[in-house]
Structure formats: structure tokens, C-alpha cells
Amino acid sequence: MTIGVVGAGTMGAGVAECCAQAGHDVIVVETDSHAAELARKRIADSVRLAILLGRSAGPKPTEVLARVRWTDLMSELQDVSVVVECVPERIDLKEKIFAELDRCCADAVLASCTSGIPVDLIAASTSRPERVVGLHFMNPAPLKDTVEVVAGPRTSQHTLDEVRELLASLNKTGIIVGDGPGFVLNRVLMLCIAEAAASVDAGIADPETVDALFEGCLGHPMGPLRTADLIGLDNVQDTMTTLQTLTGDDHYRPPASLTALVDAGHLGRKTGRGFHDYR
Ligand code: NAD
């Protein structure tokens, strides 16, 4: 299979790595050459680490990277079987990308890695809503075995079957859910992060304490604010704003501490600082 990936940030690099590691040819469309360079390095480091830790017996980083072609032209996706779109979480941008994919791709499944934009809204900018599906990979994609698969009201069974086949080839399991803002995971998780940050804003606890409670008392491997730092605070802010707009529920409004961190350029792990300090 040849898989297309649009956007080579946190998720695009991870999805490209999973597909290439599984032996698929991958074409990555990334408009920012610096981001593409970082993604190549991230993939090489991740494959090397997996071998060092015994999680993978090969292929080597060079072999994985040799299966990935990099371009800034969407037209190169003409013959792919599945495209996974991984651009930032903005409705206008996703609509533009999907209209372009609809023009460029012959008969591909058009999947979005969106965190919470309803699949049917994205599908509306294409002439083939039955081929549009949500593939909500988790971060880091190579380490997470389960994917939230979002079936829009017009997504066909044939499309879901093809997606299941792709996920099986990546050794991942898809759990299918219906469409709606945030689907299941982020409908719940974004409220949890928002309330955790609001507890900090209200002076009830600092970020260390909030996360220690979730990790120690509830046995979560990572508290909500550390999870937000892993996702990327810009992405969390975009997802909350989208959910607030689409649901009209102000509980999804990005809390003051989150907005202040994003405004200061502290986006979580990827910049070394977020609710916690990683430097
Ligand atoms: P990111 O900001 O790390 O990466 C986005 C990439 O898209 C950037 O490299 C950017 O240059 C590129 N891009 C922007 N416009 C483009 C265009 N027109 N053509 C090609 N490339 C373009 O974002 P991310 O964290 O990887 O998130 C991507 C998607 O995955 C979002 O919808 C997000 O909500 C979702 N998601 C994120 C996470 C997470 O933990 N970060 C988890 C699951 C889903």
C-alpha cells in the first residue's frame, strides 16, 4: 500500500513512521521545510530507540526513511490508497486541505487525524463523503496500539473495512465511534484538562499537585496537565476552542493559565516548557 500523510508535525511524523515501519511506501506532504527536516530526525531517533530498547528487531532507521518520500506538492498523492491528514486543528485549514485532496487523489480513503472536528463537517468539502473517516491516532503514534476511528454518518462500510485493514497492518486496533465534536476521547479529556487548569487558576493546587493526585490516587500513568504538555498546548487550545464553538458549552473555553502559556510560546514538551518544565 502507498499511504499519504499531510503535515509532518508531532502526529504526521508518528503516523509516517508507523506506516513505513510496517513496510508501506509513504508520501509526506509538508509545506515547511524545517518541519520536514525535524520529522526526518524524529523518525530516525524513534526507530533507533525502539531497536535499542528491544521493542523492534528492525528495520533500521535508514531503511524506514528510505520508504518515505517528502514533498510540498499535494498533487503527488494522486495514486495513494489512504491519506492521513495531520495539519493543525483548524476547521478552515482542514476544509481547504480536504477540498484539495478531493481534487488530487484518485480513489483514496481520506482520513483526518483531527482531535475533535466532526468528520461530516470535513467531508462536506469533498465530493466523496463516503470515503472520509476520522483516524484519531494517539501520541506518540508508534507507541499507542489503539486508534479512535470516527465513522461519520456518510462514511461507508467499505471505507471502514479499508481502514481496519490498514490499522491491522500497523499492529493497531481501531475502536469505532460515531461522529460529534471531540468524539469520545476529547469530549471527555478536554473538560478534564480545562478543569485541571482552572484548579491551578483558582489557586487550589499547583500543576505538580494536580498531576500527582491523578497519578497517585487514580493510577493514571500521566495527570491531565502533563498530558496537555505532551499533546502540545497550542493544539489543546485549538481543540478546546473548536469544541466550545461547535457545542456552545463554555466549559470548553481555554482557561487563563493555558492561554497565557500559549501566548508566551510555552507549548509543552515540544518547546521544553508548559505547565511543567522539561528543560
Ligand atoms: P503540529 O502543529 O505538530 O503539526 C502540523 C504540521 O502541519 C506542521 O508541520 C505544519 O507545517 C504542517 N502544515 C500546515 N499546513 C500545511 C499544509 N497546507 N500542507 C502540508 N502541511 C501543512 O500538529 P500535530 O500536533 O501533529 O496535530 C496534527 C493533527 O493531529 C491536529 O488535528 C491535532 O488535533 C491532531 N492530534 C494531535 C495529537 C497530539 O497529541 N499532538 C494527538 C491526536 C491528534
Side-chain angles (χ1 to χ4, degrees), residues 82-102:
V82 180
V83 183
V84 186
E85 164 277 311
C86 302
V87 302
E89 186 75 356
R90 293 207 323 266
I91 295 175
D92 57 339
L93 179 59
K94 304 257 189 213
E95 286 176 336
K96 178 175 153 287
I97 298 278
F98 272 75
E100 221 172 322
L101 289 173
D102 191 36

Side-chain angles (χ1 to χ4, degrees), residues 94-103 108 110-111 119-133 154:
K94 304 257 189 213
E95 286 176 336
K96 178 175 153 287
I97 298 278
F98 272 75
E100 221 172 322
L101 289 173
D102 191 36
R103 280 193 296 277
L110 305 181
V119 164
D120 207 46
L121 189 66
I122 296 173
S125 44
T126 75
S127 63
R128 51 178 119 168
E130 72 286 357
R131 300 294 277 157
V132 179
V133 64
R154 295 182 284 174

